[in-house]
Amino acid sequence: MTVYFTKDHEWIRLEGDQALVGITDYAQSQLGDVVYVELPEVGKTFAKGDDAAVVESVKAASDVYAPVSGVVVAVNAALEKSPAMINDAPESDGWFWRLTLTEPGELDGLLDEAAYKAFIDTL
């Protein structure tokens, strides 16, 4: 499976013509203990860069942006009951939503894992 990253600290993991989206381990570490998450509605359509979700922690609230354009086909409802999953497994079980990509070419503008790690080393 191919994983891409944004400079806003979202990740997107391709699974055929769909993808899972979440925030990176770096993002959750900067937020601290996550206490609340607001997920998008199934059926919602996003353009790349749209505000798609909200994460609140003991330190701050942060928007989560759509890394690519697409239609939400599922959300991780378990996060609403256990938002700490974002801290425990941000790049696996702590995923936020699944989407069907509408503009797959937008993936070309995202970072691969090596480029993302190099980027966070500059922060």
Side-chain angles (χ1 to χ4, degrees):
M1 290 181 271
T2 305
V3 180
Y4 297 93
F5 300 86
T6 71
K7 289 186 175 181
D8 291 318
H9 310 290
E10 291 89 18
W11 58 264
I12 180 168
R13 183 171 56 239
L14 293 180
E15 297 177 348
D17 68 341
Q18 294 186 345
L20 292 179
V21 177
I23 64 170
T24 65
D25 185 56
Y26 177 83
Q28 72 78 26
S29 71
Q30 296 301 300
L31 284 168
D33 294 335
V34 175
V35 295
Y36 174 77
V37 62
E38 181 180 314
L39 299 171
E41 293 181 15
V42 172
K44 177 83 174 165
T45 299
F46 291 111
K48 180 178 180 176
D50 283 353
D51 293 349
V54 176
V55 176
E56 292 183 15
S57 72
V58 294
K59 292 182 183 178
S62 182
D63 290 328
V64 180
Y65 305 103
V68 295
S69 300
V71 178
V72 177
V73 296
V75 296
N76 188 352
L79 293 182
E80 293 174 337
K81 293 178 185 163
S82 300
M85 288 173 60
I86 296 167
N87 296 112
D88 297 336
E91 296 180 20
S92 59
D93 293 339
W95 62 275
F96 284 41
W97 71 88
R98 176 183 297 275
L99 69 115
T100 298
L101 283 71
T102 55
E103 299 291 335
E106 292 175 342
L107 294 167
D108 295 338
L110 301 179
L111 306 171
D112 64 16
E113 186 173 3
Y116 179 71
K117 285 182 179 182
F119 169 69
I120 60 174
D121 285 346
T122 67
L123 301 178

